[in-house]
Amino acid sequence: MSAEEPILLTPGPLTTSMRVKQAMLRDWGSRDEAFVALNRHVIGQIARIAGCDESYAVVPLQGSGTYAVEAMIATLAPTDGRTLVLANGSYGRRIVEICRRLGRNHDVYEVPEDETHDMAELGRRLAEDPGIRAVAAVHCETTSGLLNPLQAISDVVVKAGRALLVDSMSGFGALPVDAGQLRFAALAASANKCLQGAPGVAFVICRKADLATSKGRSPSLVLDLEDQHRQMTTDGQWRYTPPTHVIAALGAAIDELVEEGGSEARLRRYTANCDTLITGMQELGFRPVLPRERQAPVIVSFFEPQDAWFDFTTFYDLLRQRGFAIYAGKMKQGGTFRIGTIGAIDPQTIAAFLVAAGDVVSEMRRGH
Ligand SMILES: *Cc1c(COP(=O)(O)O)cnc(C)c1O
């Protein structure tokens, strides 16, 4: 732990391994056969993690995760019907904003940030309104750390014959994503969260059949997944400059995921991190916002103590001096902060953090 290079207890970019960092020390020619092979390998590995068969394509895209979400909506959200967006946090609301900007017709089914949607109500809305052609959902709502019931959502949406568009940004790589079971039309994720790569590349996993019928639908050139996919499958090359180093890092990160034992093993490690964190923080007097059954082991929101000694900025700075970077809160209700449990960290890292947090709490109480 060092103040110069802190452990990032954040939802991403997050703490990566030395191997992932070292993978970025080489320059790759974007049209060189070695890079084309690396790119093909990474795409194949992502498809394997998602349990995709040949009917799905993995379309990588330059940029952060939001680029992939916007590309998914631009290319695949219907133009001859509406998309129902399930919102219970700022990432769901961001999809609404994307639909609004793109002029894509949509409805919003919003519930409070610490609650999940009522599946009976979702089923009713779909049954009563044939104009809804797609449903957009967020897997882990990173705003709070809430786990949305993606399989249950999929069951309702697929049964009703609608397309499911998923933002699994902070879930993919750890939370279960199996295309055969979730039967999503499209799912967006990025390199720098549970995959533990570097930021700069994202991707959308979607049905080839849907890509085939979406030619020209995206009003944006750079966010056009159909065009990106068609050109990449023609000659194996990216349309525009690929983030070569970031893709090399993602390749190393996925190799590590496979060596760890895949998504299931990673979910176990994150769950151990999360359990250690919640137990230890409760011992220090902090209260998690979400009940355990709605908490994803990705990032945990805590209430700020209402006592005079507590001030988030001081708490953050003193932890930062001890080599840990935590995260500000993002929930509408305010008075919360977040601590991430993902990245190249384990329960020992969390235990070391808790020792630091204990010191900081004592210091702040004393100083008051
Ligand atoms: C991180 C995240 C995104 C994308 O955010 P970027 O800052 O664009 O990488 C989208 N949705 C969710 C749920 C996220 O956690």
Side-chain angles (χ1 to χ4, degrees), residues 8 10-17 20 63-69 90-91 94 138-143 167-175 188-203 246 249-250 253-254 256-257 260 266 269-270 297-299 327 330 338 340-345:
L8 303 179
T10 61
L14 36 65
T15 298
T16 59
S17 70
V20 166
S64 83
T66 306
Y67 289 64
V69 176
S90 59
Y91 292 100
R94 188 176 295 177
V138 177
H139 197 176
C140 165
E141 234 318 338
T142 323
T143 307
D167 169 354
S168 184
M169 210 60 62
S170 61
F172 190 80
L175 300 180
S190 69
N192 64 278
K193 287 183 174 169
C194 300
L195 289 176
Q196 296 183 187
V201 71
F203 50 87
V246 172
L250 179 57
I254 291 176
E256 285 188 339
L257 174 63
E260 184 171 355
R266 182 150 296 179
R269 175 163 59 84
Y270 288 173
V298 170
I299 189 163
Y327 221 54
K330 197 175 177 148
R338 290 177 290 174
T341 59
I342 61 177
I345 56 169

Side-chain angles (χ1 to χ4, degrees), residues 50-53 56 151 177-184:
C52 294
D53 63 19
Y56 283 93
Q151 187 64 55
V177 168
D178 182 337
Q181 287 185 359
L182 288 174
R183 293 182 289 165
F184 51 78

